[in-house]
Amino acid sequence: MAKRIDVGGLNAYYGTHKAIEDISMTVEPRSVTAFIGPSGCGKSTFLRTLNRMHEVTPGGRVEGKVMLDDENLYGAGVDPVSVRRTVGMVFQRPNPFPTMSIYENVAAGIRLNGGRLRKSELDGVVEKSLKGANLWKEVKDRLNKPGAGLSGGQQQRLCIARAIAVEPQVLLMDEPCSALDPISTLAIEDLIGELKERFTIVIVTHNMQQAARVSDRTAFFNLAGVGQPGKLVEIDDTERIFSNPSVQATEDYISGRFG
């Protein structure tokens, strides 16, 4: 069941440095929301606050609310590990477990979460997840071969299969195509379009065309200067952000005047 995210008054810090300031937004279920903006404006930091990965960084802390439907992810007694199970993440560089087979890479997420399935059930989940990541046809005859032996684009889809195997409700993607060639990028973009039927998806991208192609809504982040905290400038339907943004800085960034 895909969930809605409501963020209110969120600040994130690295030690004493405030990285992002006073961010509030809603992310609708079963949609793709893209975060765009210049380097250093806090897009990836903000993304990591949505599944409590930010606090894994030394000195990382968060103030404010992140509501997943009606649960505050930063509420008292909320287990960060269960948050990360509900809100999955795919990173910039494909990171399959190098010593594991393709099969074991997908099964790893389930095992890490304490899932004890019979072999036949696990086989079913692995197949379903690889099909969900549009990878099954390419790897079904070599499931016992190392995941690290796949191409970059295949490795990234393997990481997506691993993330969706545990049935998250939200999928975060931090520049998932930046290390990939154009053909692999297109495969991931097509996949994002399919996955949004089941998941709420948030993607950070530096590629304006990609944001325009894959997202329903786009959020533009910026910062006043070096060392200043990143802020949300505006969020709106992607079509409007790219054709008629409300803020001049958004138009300047999209048209390549800075960033």
Side-chain angles (χ1 to χ4, degrees), residues 90-123:
V90 176
F91 296 92
Q92 185 170 0
R93 296 205 165 270
N95 59 343
F97 300 124
T99 59
M100 288 187 186
S101 67
I102 293 167
Y103 181 100
E104 287 300 330
N105 259 283
V106 181
I110 299 157
R111 293 198 169 117
L112 287 170
N113 287 315
R116 286 187 169 77
L117 301 179
R118 289 198 301 273
K119 177 74 166 66
S120 59
E121 292 173 317
L122 194 59
D123 288 351

Side-chain angles (χ1 to χ4, degrees), residues 47 88-92 156 159-160 163 171-176:
L47 191 75
M89 191 151 195
V90 176
F91 296 92
Q92 185 170 0
Q156 191 63 297
C159 294
I160 292 170
L171 204 52
L172 309 178
M173 297 186 166
D174 192 358
E175 294 192 58

